Amino acid sequence: MLDRFVRLCEIASPTGEERTVADAVAAELRELGVAVEEDDSAQAAESAAGNLIARMPGEGDAWVMFASHLDTVPHDGPIEVAFDGGVFRSRGETILGADNKAAVTVLVELAARHAATRPPIGLELVFTVAEEVGLRGAKELDIGSLRSRFGFVLDHASPIGEIVTAAPTHKRLLADFEGTEAHAGIRPEDGHSAIAAAAAGVAAMRLGRLDDETTANVGVISGGTASNVVAGHCRIDAEARSIDDVKASETIGAMVDACTWAATEHGCDVDVEVTEMFRGYRLAPSAPSVAIARAALERRGHEPRDVATGGGSDANAFTARGFECVLLANGTEANHTPEESVAAERIVQMLDVCEAIVGIAAERC
């Protein structure tokens, strides 16, 4: 299993370029005798491959779903995995790719363990594409084709035991300010600075952590052509997140209002585009997926903890479309950075947790 993890990490699969890793995972599952299909989501998800769905019938009629994603964030140069002191890291300055190939590894191993004899409950293993950019693969998955009543996503960089029962709605704001260019040294009064307008808009926004559930941020500002030209264009790329949908809408609305006001004050026009990247959710402590996850963690000696997150995952996309799904921490660390790592022990422990979920789901479904 750990050799598989290294192999998968060293296959480049940044978002949109998942073809090679999708083929590798599908081939290994088929070699185990597992039925695998690829859906037709590639074009809509802007990916080189579609989502993979593998199914293994169980002893009874019930099913349980596990999901992980095949893509990673972009990286420069090939990934080379180092193993030292029981921990996997990148040997160079790239990411490791444990997000989310630690989970992909676990799900393939789960299939391998049950290849010879039927699992106690049917297993649906879903491997999505384009998760890192707006959960695009998960949004295109045909939820109606799933045979499971609920599922589990393994994709949270925190200690094993955390059960994510609440995640935010994420709204993105792109604001393009259009001013009037002029020579900054000769006739600046003839210009209207788009940069000044954008800066005023940002200054008028409430940013950072607004309350326990809500954040707002301006992540990118760009514009202008030269220091001696009053800037004719400037763009800001911003976002608002909240576990409360209403707060997310109100926060992004206030950011839009700030842009509109600032453009007017500085004699500029502004074109604003707001996109909902994903919808938030809350799961009740009594939800079947949460209760099973809690029992499985306890059975494997982990202390279960219900938590909220400020990040998104495929669980957002599945839950927003009416499919109950819980996000589980899988023990990876420093995802999306060159310091990304995962202990071999954590991969083994997550496999054991998944096995416990299988057993408990079979008992309760």
Side-chain angles (χ1 to χ4, degrees), residues 273-287:
E273 177 184 348
V274 174
T275 304
E276 183 174 283
M277 303 302 290
F278 47 79
R279 180 65 58 87
Y281 65 87
R282 295 178 190 267
L283 293 174
S286 59

Side-chain angles (χ1 to χ4, degrees), residues 102-132:
V104 174
T105 298
V106 166
L107 299 194
V108 176
E109 183 64 21
L110 189 65
R113 284 196 173 187
H114 293 285
T117 58
R118 285 191 172 218
I121 190 171
L123 301 181
E124 285 186 304
L125 309 178
V126 176
F127 303 89
T128 64
V129 295
E131 188 272 349
E132 295 288 3

Side-chain angles (χ1 to χ4, degrees), residues 22 24-39 50-58 62-68 70 104 106-112 114-115 119 121-128 141-142 145-148 318:
V25 169
E28 185 159 356
L29 289 168
R30 287 171 179 142
E31 188 174 337
L32 291 168
V34 179
V36 184
E37 62 184 58
E38 180 177 334
D39 69 14
N51 301 307
L52 302 180
I53 304 96
R55 291 189 175 91
M56 305 179 71
W63 294 76
V64 64
M65 185 271 269
F66 293 90
S68 59
L70 295 169
V104 174
V106 166
L107 299 194
V108 176
E109 183 64 21
L110 189 65
H114 293 285
I121 190 171
L123 301 181
E124 285 186 304
L125 309 178
V126 176
F127 303 89
T128 64
L141 185 74
D142 180 6
S145 70
L146 296 178
R147 303 170 188 178
S148 307
F318 296 144

Side-chain angles (χ1 to χ4, degrees), residues 16-279:
E17 301 176 31
E18 300 94 335
R19 180 76 272 161
T20 302
V21 74
D23 287 345
V25 169
E28 185 159 356
L29 289 168
R30 287 171 179 142
E31 188 174 337
L32 291 168
V34 179
V36 184
E37 62 184 58
E38 180 177 334
D39 69 14
D40 60 358
S41 66
Q43 182 174 357
E46 300 175 48
S47 171
N51 301 307
L52 302 180
I53 304 96
R55 291 189 175 91
M56 305 179 71
E59 294 177 355
D61 294 331
W63 294 76
V64 64
M65 185 271 269
F66 293 90
S68 59
H69 64 86
L70 295 169
D71 61 316
T72 70
V73 294
H75 55 89
D76 294 325
I79 295 174
E80 186 178 354
V81 179
F83 185 63
D84 181 52
V87 178
F88 292 103
R89 295 182 174 88
S90 170
R91 194 179 298 278
E93 295 301 315
T94 67
I95 60 169
L96 173 63
D99 175 17
N100 194 224
K101 289 172 182 175
V104 174
T105 298
V106 166
L107 299 194
V108 176
E109 183 64 21
L110 189 65
R113 284 196 173 187
H114 293 285
T117 58
R118 285 191 172 218
I121 190 171
L123 301 181
E124 285 186 304
L125 309 178
V126 176
F127 303 89
T128 64
V129 295
E131 188 272 349
E132 295 288 3
V133 184
L135 319 178
R136 297 194 305 246
K139 288 177 179 177
E140 296 301 324
L141 185 74
D142 180 6
I143 294 295
S145 70
L146 296 178
R147 303 170 188 178
S148 307
R149 289 173 42 218
F150 51 79
F152 302 87
V153 172
L154 280 58
D155 186 19
H156 194 57
S158 57
I160 295 173
E162 290 192 356
I163 305 169
V164 179
T165 56
T169 292
H170 174 196
K171 294 182 180 290
R172 183 185 184 190
L173 165 66
L174 293 176
D176 286 291
F177 292 83
E178 296 292 340
T180 304
E181 290 190 345
H183 194 293
I186 299 175
R187 300 191 65 83
E189 60 276 4
D190 289 346
H192 296 281
S193 174
I195 288 179
V202 173
M205 297 176 186
R206 291 181 63 218
L207 301 175
R209 184 167 296 284
L210 307 187
D211 58 39
D212 289 344
E213 298 181 330
T214 311
T215 61
N217 184 58
V218 176
V220 179
I221 182 167
S222 59
T225 56
S227 64
N228 64 347
V229 179
V230 175
H233 178 263
C234 187
R235 164 177 278 203
I236 65 170
D237 190 345
E239 67 164 42
R241 301 183 187 218
S242 183
I243 292 172
D244 185 315
D245 288 341
V246 174
K247 288 181 180 178
S249 296
E250 290 176 347
T251 301
I252 207 72
M255 296 169 78
V256 170
D257 290 344
C259 291
T260 303
W261 166 83
T264 301
E265 287 292 303
H266 287 265
C268 297
D269 295 323
V270 65
D271 181 31
V272 177
E273 177 184 348
V274 174
T275 304
E276 183 174 283
M277 303 302 290
F278 47 79
R279 180 65 58 87

